[in-house]
Amino acid sequence: MQAIRTAQGCASISLESAAPDKQHFLHVTGEAAIIHQKTSTHQPTRQILGFAENSKPDMLLERKPMEDRQQSPLSWSLTRLRRVGSGADLNVAIANIRDRYQFAHLAFLVVRLANPADTHPFYCATYPEEWTSLYLDRNYFAIDPVINLSRTGFLPVDWSNLDRRSARTRSFFMEARSFDIGRYGLTVPIRGPSGERSLFSVTSNLRRAEWRKLLLSSNHDIQILSHYLHEKALSASGLRTSGGYRKLSRREQECLQLLAHGLVSKRIAAKLQISENAVRLYLKLAKRKLDAKTMYQAIARASFLEIIQT
């Protein structure tokens, strides 16, 4: 039995225990998600899950123009995400964030939860519906190199560095560009403390030099946003509740707050008038208490839990 919930381009899937003569296979890529259900007669059936293209602004997510100008892009984006209460709201928020940073598209996918036997993929993206349909019809998940990131990747990957020696792969990327998916892209793999895995992708149609400049200026923000989206997606979709983390000390909060604002350990030490070794220790303890794998994840989780302000 399978239940599917969709809302304005966001979707979550619940696969319940199937009959003994059925097997379920889940394939998720940076552009689309598809379920293949092989029955006892071996006739494949599939359920296509749609994405949103042009979302309408949500009044709850709107802010005054003056307030927008006074906030940094990261603070502005996290404010929007903090107000998200549902999958539909999340879809509006990522469309807003895409426009704020002037990316071509954003895509976020939860590809695996802590309990693989109870898989609930959740995703939001701004890709055109026409591209999603074509992607599924031509079975592009089999040649999309981005899919491998959800299995083995830990570090952000610039799509320019993906292996395109295969003619099929080159044709795939050219076709994606024809739908304005983006000439360039970056995908950040996210791994949660209990084995959850997600992918966050940003794309651009800028020229190469401008794309590099955009990445350089927004890399810090992308890293934090990817982990924050992971927390928010699991919470907003009802797949996980927040809480259960140890309380941070005042110094741990201060160090994490300043790190979130872009200060390095040496500058944090000077500002707080403590040693650099003490700063590193406080940050290490904060990361451990938040059950985070990286400092970016610790910052995102602390912001999500409203322990710090970003």
Side-chain angles (χ1 to χ4, degrees):
M1 175 181 178
Q2 63 182 33
I4 300 176
R5 303 191 302 274
T6 62
Q8 294 185 9
C10 294
S12 59
I13 312 164
S14 175
L15 297 184
E16 300 181 8
S17 57
D21 62 337
K22 296 183 179 180
Q23 292 180 325
H24 294 78
F25 302 91
L26 177 66
H27 303 281
V28 183
T29 75
E31 287 76 31
I34 180 173
I35 294 177
H36 287 274
Q37 177 175 297
K38 186 172 290 186
T39 65
S40 56
T41 59
H42 302 291
Q43 295 297 323
T45 60
R46 68 186 183 184
Q47 177 68 48
I48 298 176
L49 306 179
F51 291 93
E53 180 176 6
N54 296 313
S55 303
K56 295 181 179 180
D58 188 317
M59 291 300 293
L60 293 177
L61 299 179
E62 291 182 349
R63 299 199 66 180
K64 296 178 181 180
M66 181 60 71
E67 292 182 35
D68 290 346
R69 289 195 294 270
Q70 291 175 345
Q71 289 184 297
S72 69
L74 178 60
S75 178
W76 183 91
S77 299
L78 293 180
T79 296
R80 285 197 169 23
L81 290 174
R82 196 169 290 119
R83 296 178 178 183
V84 166
S86 67
D89 290 346
L90 186 58
N91 189 74
V92 174
I94 67 166
N96 293 157
I97 295 170
R98 170 200 61 191
D99 296 340
R100 177 75 183 208
Y101 283 93
Q102 297 184 334
F103 289 116
H105 289 288
L106 296 184
F108 177 81
L109 306 96
V110 177
V111 296
R112 183 183 184 275
L113 288 183
N115 182 3
D118 186 27
T119 307
H120 296 71
F122 178 95
Y123 61 89
C124 282
T126 60
Y127 296 134
E129 185 178 350
E130 294 82 1
W131 166 245
T132 303
S133 298
L134 183 67
Y135 187 102
L136 296 172
D137 290 340
R138 297 190 179 179
N139 200 29
Y140 279 160
F141 68 85
I143 62 172
D144 186 352
V146 175
I147 193 173
N148 293 323
L149 295 175
S150 66
R151 299 175 181 145
T152 60
F154 288 91
L155 299 176
V157 174
D158 191 325
W159 293 3
S160 300
N161 298 324
L162 293 171
D163 186 355
R164 305 192 189 199
R165 288 174 292 183
S166 164
R168 290 186 66 194
T169 302
R170 289 196 300 270
S171 177
F172 162 75
F173 277 105
M174 289 179 63
E175 196 158 23
R177 283 180 57 182
S178 72
F179 285 89
D180 285 329
I181 294 303
R183 297 173 62 190
Y184 302 104
L186 180 83
T187 295
V188 181
I190 305 105
R191 292 176 180 264
S194 301
E196 317 97 48
R197 294 201 300 266
S198 299
L199 295 175
F200 178 52
S201 298
V202 301
T203 72
S204 175
N205 281 310
L206 296 173
R207 294 179 180 177
R208 185 177 182 84
E210 295 172 331
W211 161 243
R212 293 296 183 188
K213 184 177 180 181
L214 176 60
L215 274 188
L216 184 64
S217 65
S218 59
N219 179 64
H220 176 78
D221 294 11
I222 291 171
Q223 295 278 355
I224 293 176
L225 283 170
S226 65
H227 291 289
Y228 194 99
L229 273 166
H230 181 83
E231 298 294 324
K232 176 57 72 171
L234 293 179
S235 175
S237 59
L239 302 179
R240 189 183 73 190
T241 56
S242 61
Y245 301 112
R246 294 166 58 191
K247 184 177 180 180
L248 270 60
S249 69
R250 179 176 60 86
R251 279 299 193 201
E252 290 163 357
Q253 290 182 47
E254 289 174 341
C255 290
L256 200 59
Q257 176 84 63
L258 293 172
L259 183 68
H261 289 167
L263 274 67
V264 297
S265 296
K266 186 174 183 179
R267 291 185 60 192
I268 294 174
K271 189 174 185 64
L272 298 180
Q273 297 185 334
I274 58 178
S275 71
E276 194 171 347
N277 285 336
V279 170
R280 293 196 183 98
L281 177 60
Y282 286 131
L283 291 174
K284 182 179 179 180
L285 291 172
K287 185 174 73 169
R288 183 183 302 169
K289 288 181 179 180
L290 291 167
D291 202 9
K293 301 296 183 184
T294 66
M295 289 311 307
Y296 283 120
Q297 190 174 50
I299 291 170
R301 188 160 291 160
S303 178
F304 177 74
L305 297 172
E306 299 186 0
I307 295 172
I308 63 173
Q309 298 296 319
T310 50

